[in-house]
Amino acid sequence: MAAEHTVTIDVNEKYTLTATMQRKIWLWLAVGLILFIAGAFWFVTGFGSEAAHGAGHAAAHGGGGGEHFNPMARVWANLWLNSVFFVGIAVAGVFFLATQYAAKAGWSAIIKRVPEAFGGFLPVGGVIMLVVYFLGHHDLFHWTHTGLYEKGGPEFDAIINGKAPFFYWPLSPEGGFPFFWLLRLVLYFALWFLVYTVIRKASLAEDQLQNRLDFRYYDKQVVWSIVFIVIFAVTSSTSAWDWLLSIDTHWFSTMFGWYVFASWFVSALATITLAVVYLKEQGYLKAVNENHLHDLGKFMFAFSIFWTYVWFCQFLLIYYANIPEETFYFKERLHGLGGVYSPVMIILALINFAFPFLFLMPRDSKRHPIFLKITAFAILVGHYLDFYLMVMPGTAKQYGGFGLMEIGAIILFASLFVWLFYRTLSKAPLIAKNHPMLEESLHHSI
């Protein structure tokens, strides 16, 4: 229902990425890099004592051995974990934008430039993931060891050999170059960024229209948003299999694609909320009111419950079936590997479900920036830990942990994401002045 009040906006308002802000971001980026390098150096050079302690701890708790563990695995795992997490936020932000166009939603027209700017991280994220793969693929993905495919050899693994075409087709796995897997990685980013660029260019061209009844660019964005949704519907699952599920090559879950999508999407919603609230507090987006914030809060609330539903269903089905080939995944995280990951499993359920469910249930809490900021930050922490549990047990084994290296990696990637977000955001007006639903958005009231 439209409110009967007048809203005055500056349609040419642009976000200014000041020199001071750039210095702050680059300072944080440098801090993150230093912490990451220091933490990595500390862990790798002190691995002898760490391994002795870890082996004893694992033995005491019934964990695995890890005699052949390469300490660099934890370094690559941190880089891979953060790459996947922030790429997921970026692409899920574009997905949110696409759903708004596909649904012809009006309320979000005033904030659409925020998720639109998330796409600026995609090409950088893609390059980082490729580099990290080539640097640490043997430590990240067990299936890259060619001995696993040599029938009759000491390392031959029948299960992984059966999955070889998924990684190597049309090449032979003995060649060691996973053509099909790498082709998919490149295609994901190419498709995502290509369609995003078409939507973005149409959005910017719409700003230049003199006739607001000219809907050609809006229609183009609707069509390409639907294309993006179709592409993302497939690639969000297949990329989750490639980048995360294949770390634990023996394990398989038919719900894994949905599970990762839910985690990516609610993280993107939390990031959009934080960005909108921050911009408003800085004096931008004055037309954003408590009704827009309420809708963002509802999205976070709804998709926190959706994530919990998928997470619990995946766990319950595997636990109830009690098939050893499946249950080892959760046993490692709950009780195995020296119990390193047990606390994270418990924190995960509390912070990703109980906290947003209870905190965002009242109407008022979804309409006040302070409540939204606390919840959005908690959601980001919780879902980072969710990805941590998907990557670390299969790569860092019982030598996982949370120290300088992990903190540095988060700061490093978060700073890079923020810099690219602000850089993209500052290149266009914050308000899409010729969006056909702008008036509806300005008077949005619920």
Side-chain angles (χ1 to χ4, degrees):
M1 184 175 67
E4 296 180 358
H5 60 270
T6 303
V7 179
T8 304
I9 59 168
D10 176 7
V11 293
N12 296 313
E13 177 187 47
K14 291 182 78 170
Y15 174 77
T16 304
L17 183 55
T18 61
T20 305
M21 176 58 82
Q22 293 209 57
R23 276 198 297 275
K24 283 182 183 175
I25 295 172
W26 284 106
L27 179 62
W28 276 110
L29 202 145
V31 169
L33 185 62
I34 291 167
L35 287 178
F36 176 73
I37 292 172
F41 181 77
W42 191 352
F43 178 74
V44 172
T45 56
F47 180 69
S49 55
E50 183 81 12
H53 170 75
H57 193 62
H61 293 78
E67 294 81 3
H68 305 297
F69 179 76
N70 176 7
M72 285 300 291
R74 185 164 154 182
V75 179
W76 308 132
N78 269 290
L79 294 174
W80 190 256
L81 159 66
N82 283 277
S83 302
V84 173
F85 182 66
F86 283 98
V87 162
I89 291 176
V91 71
V94 180
F95 173 72
F96 173 79
L97 176 73
T99 57
Q100 299 307 294
Y101 273 106
K104 299 195 174 180
W107 74 274
S108 56
I110 195 75
I111 62 164
K112 64 155 271 183
R113 285 281 153 79
V114 173
E116 194 177 295
F118 281 20
F121 184 78
L122 287 176
V124 176
V127 171
I128 292 173
M129 287 186 70
L130 266 179
V131 172
V132 174
Y133 171 80
F134 282 107
L135 288 174
H137 56 288
H138 284 324
D139 295 318
L140 289 170
F141 300 106
H142 181 58
W143 53 262
T144 57
H145 294 269
T146 54
L148 298 169
Y149 308 96
E150 294 171 3
K151 290 183 180 176
E155 297 178 20
F156 178 71
D157 188 311
I159 294 175
I160 297 178
N161 186 54
K163 298 180 180 181
F166 186 70
F167 303 125
Y168 289 94
W169 179 88
L171 304 179
S172 166
E174 285 82 0
F177 188 80
F179 176 81
F180 196 30
W181 189 91
L182 283 169
L183 176 68
R184 289 198 299 272
L185 188 149
V186 173
L187 274 178
Y188 298 149
F189 283 97
L191 288 171
W192 293 342
F193 192 65
L194 177 67
V195 180
Y196 161 72
T197 303
V198 173
I199 297 171
R200 171 76 169 171
K201 281 186 176 178
S203 175
L204 300 184
E206 190 180 52
D207 285 352
Q208 307 306 317
L209 290 175
Q210 299 302 314
N211 179 8
R212 292 196 61 185
L213 296 178
D214 184 348
F215 299 135
R216 59 185 149 147
Y217 292 116
Y218 176 76
D219 292 339
K220 187 174 182 179
Q221 289 174 86
V222 171
V223 170
W224 283 97
S225 291
I226 294 168
V227 171
F228 186 86
I229 289 171
V230 172
I231 292 170
F232 189 66
V234 177
T235 55
S236 60
S237 284
T238 53
S239 60
W241 301 342
D242 287 352
W243 301 344
L244 297 165
L245 186 59
S246 76
I247 289 173
D248 295 274
T249 324
H250 282 178
W251 189 65
F252 185 77
S253 165
T254 54
M255 302 185 71
F256 197 77
W258 281 104
Y259 168 58
V260 172
F261 160 75
S263 203
W264 269 346
F265 193 52
V266 76
S267 301
L269 291 169
T271 310
I272 293 168
T273 305
L274 282 176
V276 169
V277 170
Y278 174 77
L279 288 168
K280 187 168 175 61
E281 288 179 345
Q282 293 300 307
Y284 299 101
L285 295 177
K286 292 185 178 66
V288 170
N289 58 43
E290 64 272 18
N291 300 292
H292 300 102
L293 298 180
H294 190 166
D295 276 347
L296 287 170
K298 284 193 295 187
F299 264 109
M300 287 197 294
F301 180 81
F303 278 91
S304 290
I305 294 173
F306 176 67
W307 173 87
T308 309
Y309 165 73
V310 181
W311 178 78
F312 186 67
C313 284
Q314 180 178 254
F315 173 78
L316 186 65
L317 285 173
I318 291 171
Y319 178 81
Y320 188 71
N322 198 23
I323 301 171
E325 294 92 314
E326 295 293 317
T327 51
F328 83 91
Y329 183 85
F330 288 107
K331 282 183 72 177
E332 274 188 354
R333 285 153 178 79
L334 279 167
H335 310 297
L337 300 174
V340 175
Y341 304 100
S342 306
V344 183
M345 281 291 283
I346 297 165
I347 292 169
L348 205 63
L350 293 174
I351 200 169
N352 284 354
F353 172 63
F355 186 78
F357 181 78
L358 297 174
F359 215 67
L360 287 178
M361 186 176 285
R363 172 184 167 86
D364 285 349
S365 63
K366 292 192 279 288
R367 302 174 72 85
H368 287 90
I370 184 64
F371 290 109
L372 288 175
K373 281 195 291 187
I374 292 171
T375 315
F377 184 73
I379 286 173
L380 282 175
V381 172
H383 285 276
Y384 182 87
L385 293 177
D386 190 19
F387 280 87
Y388 178 87
L389 275 185
M390 294 182 217
V391 174
M392 285 295 175
T395 52
K397 306 297 180 186
Q398 67 266 38
Y399 303 110
F402 217 89
L404 279 182
M405 185 168 25
E406 283 69 27
I407 295 169
I410 294 170
I411 295 173
L412 177 65
F413 276 82
S415 303
L416 184 61
F417 183 90
V418 168
W419 181 68
L420 290 166
F421 165 70
Y422 281 145
R423 189 166 168 268
T424 309
L425 191 70
S426 64
K427 290 180 178 177
L430 285 172
I431 308 293
K433 62 182 179 183
N434 291 323
H435 192 295
M437 307 285 189
L438 185 58
E439 278 300 313
E440 180 182 331
S441 185
L442 292 175
H443 299 90
H444 180 54
S445 180
I446 53 176

